[in-house]
Amino acid sequence: MMNAFESFGISPRLLETAEKAEEKITPHLKKTEQAEQENQLKVLAAFKNNRVSDFHFAPTSGYGYDDSGRDTLDRVYAEVFGCESAFVRQGMVSGTHAIASMLFGVLRPGDALLAATGSPYDTLRSVIGIEGSHPGTLREFNIGYRQVDLKEGRVDIDGILDALDEKCVKAVLVQRSRGYEWRLSLSISQIEELCSKIKAKRPDVIIMVDNCYGEFVETREPVSAGADVMAGSLIKNPGGGLAPSGGYIAGRADIVGMCAARAISPGIELECGASLVSPKIFFQGFFMAPHIVAQSLKSALFCGALFEELGYQVSPRPSQPRSDIIQAVRLGSAEKVVAFCRGLQSASPVDSFVSPTPSPMPGYESEVIMAAGTFVQGASIEISADAPMRPPFDVYMQGGLTYPSAKAAILSAAQNVLDLK
Ligand SMILES: *Cc1c(COP(=O)(O)O)cnc(C)c1O
């Protein structure tokens, strides 16, 4: 065992630290295992209730009328996520595409969007029109924007309620995950409290959740906690590491219909869209997702515990609650961020020989470095790390299809950082 790790360049000293880290995370694994079990039963029940069968796995072409695989997958997602309706499409390009469709589906000219959890995820800032100068933003369609920042890392409920005095605020955007921010993810019970306070003041306001990286971390999703609609990416949690692309929007049926009208076309909405790839991989990925998310959480816990042992600040700390799969490590210098990403990449199954380099990315304003030696290009449910190249030089790692492979990649990242000194 020692030798096998040593052939990956991991020193005996780091392996000792890794053992300590594994001991430290043991008490925190129970919660993850319980959530995995409960979520797996929910998924299984939805497959049974919707009579998922071999004939649902046939690809379709053209308009995709009466595509029973697609329609059944929509129903399975809706049931598991506690929603009236779900719009799951392999042709959705990314999480940004799904979330942008949700924003444009809900908001109308003259309305304003309120971001309740501070500045939204990098790519969404371009969609809203508060960063960059791209055509077709919310702003160009005369949709206003308000933002209430987090206060000491927590949702500023009073600030949000004050902002709701403005009648033009028609929708609230809540980001569950930390994104590239040094803050804790929002738990489902925090989302529930936030939704009930918003609705008590403004029952007409539509609450939208950016659910990226959150699915299956807890045993409920935001819509069952009072949100109206949520969206996410299939190359993150719900694709279970198998979905080769796609996104979803799920929630109240009328709102999902509005979002599909925007994403596809009014009049067509949920009725068309061929399954060019067999829906099987999407069903199987969703079936695997509770387990894969649990493996990712264990990997994140290990990474946090290991770097804490090595003397770095980490967020969340191993003992803190999690509602997404991201682990942040404050490395403190550009060299260490690059070393971490290169180490992680070099112990990945695909493109291990590639050396990640910071570069501009579409939708992101600062340069970004990304390590993703993944089967599905850029899939961050597979072991991966990203960092915007800006102080204080935090790296964000997430994913891991299997804990043993993620552990190897994390140790390789740590070794590379240690070797800098
Ligand atoms: C990943 C992510 C998105 C969407 O990003 P894509 O790369 O377009 O899938 C949006 N919000 C958050 C919090 C995310 O993690």
Side-chain angles (χ1 to χ4, degrees):
M1 185 70 157
M2 284 293 248
N3 275 338
F5 272 116
E6 277 169 41
S7 73
F8 267 78
I10 312 299
S11 71
R13 185 136 176 242
L14 180 57
L15 279 177
E16 271 173 43
T17 314
E19 255 175 62
K20 276 194 221 150
E22 278 188 327
E23 274 167 38
K24 203 156 103 182
I25 68 172
T26 307
H28 307 299
L29 292 175
K30 189 138 192 103
K31 219 172 126 196
T32 302
E33 283 165 11
Q34 282 168 347
E36 178 186 353
Q37 181 67 72
E38 197 173 326
N39 285 325
Q40 192 66 69
L41 291 178
K42 248 197 290 184
V43 170
L44 205 47
F47 273 58
K48 276 163 65 75
N49 294 340
N50 290 283
R51 303 174 65 87
V52 173
S53 183
D54 197 49
F55 69 84
H56 291 131
F57 302 157
T60 59
S61 63
Y63 294 112
Y65 290 133
D66 303 317
D67 181 329
S68 67
R70 179 198 66 212
D71 291 344
T72 303
L73 187 66
D74 282 354
R75 282 196 290 273
V76 167
Y77 261 70
E79 180 174 331
V80 170
F81 287 168
C83 300
E84 286 175 6
S85 172
F87 174 66
V88 187
R89 290 297 177 274
Q90 49 179 258
M92 263 202 255
V93 169
S94 63
T96 302
H97 186 185
I99 297 163
S101 303
M102 176 170 77
L103 293 169
F104 280 102
V106 164
L107 291 155
R108 297 291 177 268
D111 291 351
L113 170 70
L114 172 65
T117 42
S119 186
Y121 188 76
D122 290 61
T123 58
L124 300 175
R125 304 205 266 263
S126 304
V127 173
I128 296 165
I130 49 175
E131 223 170 68
S133 54
H134 304 279
T137 61
L138 287 178
R139 185 192 188 135
E140 195 177 301
F141 283 87
N142 191 30
I143 293 164
Y145 177 72
R146 311 282 184 274
Q147 178 176 315
V148 175
D149 288 328
L150 298 174
K151 227 166 149 180
E152 285 146 26
R154 301 187 143 268
V155 175
D156 176 9
I157 292 192
D158 293 332
I160 293 165
L161 293 179
D162 285 346
L164 291 175
D165 282 333
E166 269 192 283
K167 288 295 169 225
C168 64
V169 172
K170 291 287 164 54
V172 176
L173 177 66
V174 175
Q175 183 178 304
R176 175 177 179 182
S177 160
R178 60 187 315 138
Y180 287 147
E181 302 289 335
W182 193 265
R183 63 127 162 137
L184 293 181
S185 50
L186 226 59
S187 70
I188 293 294
S189 59
Q190 285 170 315
I191 292 176
E192 189 159 48
E193 186 191 350
L194 176 62
C195 291
S196 84
K197 290 194 168 146
I198 291 172
K199 292 286 184 178
K201 176 154 185 177
R202 287 280 307 277
D204 59 309
V205 153
I206 292 174
I207 303 173
M208 302 184 270
V209 178
D210 171 353
N211 204 30
C212 280
Y213 287 135
E215 300 88 353
F216 296 122
V217 174
E218 298 192 57
T219 53
R220 284 191 305 156
E221 300 299 331
V223 170
S224 31
D228 296 293
V229 63
M230 60 191 186
S233 164
L234 300 199
I235 64 168
K236 293 181 181 173
N237 306 15
L242 291 177
S245 72
Y248 77 89
I249 301 170
R252 238 169 66 187
D254 58 332
I255 298 174
V256 172
M258 286 156 70
C259 299
R262 166 70 199 205
I264 308 291
S265 162
I268 293 175
E269 293 133 41
L270 278 76
E271 306 294 327
C272 291
S275 297
L276 298 178
V277 171
S278 162
K280 183 176 85 169
I281 208 77
F282 297 89
F283 280 104
Q284 194 176 352
F286 199 55
F287 172 75
M288 294 293 292
H291 178 63
I292 301 298
V293 169
Q295 293 289 289
S296 296
L297 283 167
K298 186 174 177 185
S299 309
L301 264 166
F302 173 70
C303 179
L306 181 73
F307 277 85
E308 199 168 68
E309 284 291 327
L310 293 172
Y312 290 92
Q313 244 184 300
V314 302
S315 175
R317 301 195 54 206
S319 59
Q320 286 178 309
R322 285 165 199 261
S323 196
D324 69 14
I325 62 168
I326 302 178
Q327 179 64 52
V329 180
R330 180 148 291 174
L331 290 171
S333 78
E335 297 73 51
K336 285 182 180 176
V337 164
V338 172
F340 182 103
C341 291
R342 289 185 175 165
L344 192 102
Q345 180 87 24
S346 75
S348 298
V350 180
D351 290 334
S352 58
F353 51 89
V354 165
S355 188
T357 304
S359 57
M361 294 282 300
Y364 295 86
E365 286 302 307
S366 44
E367 284 200 332
V368 177
I369 184 166
M370 291 188 170
T374 54
F375 292 95
V376 171
Q377 189 194 80
S380 42
I381 187 63
E382 301 182 45
I383 187 78
S384 50
D386 320 62
M389 297 305 291
R390 58 187 180 220
F393 296 103
D394 300 331
V395 74
Y396 298 83
M397 72 74 51
Q398 64 276 315
L401 295 179
T402 68
Y403 174 70
S405 63
K407 178 180 168 184
I410 291 160
L411 285 173
S412 170
Q415 189 68 60
N416 232 24
V417 171
L418 291 173
D419 288 350
L420 275 177
K421 285 177 194 161

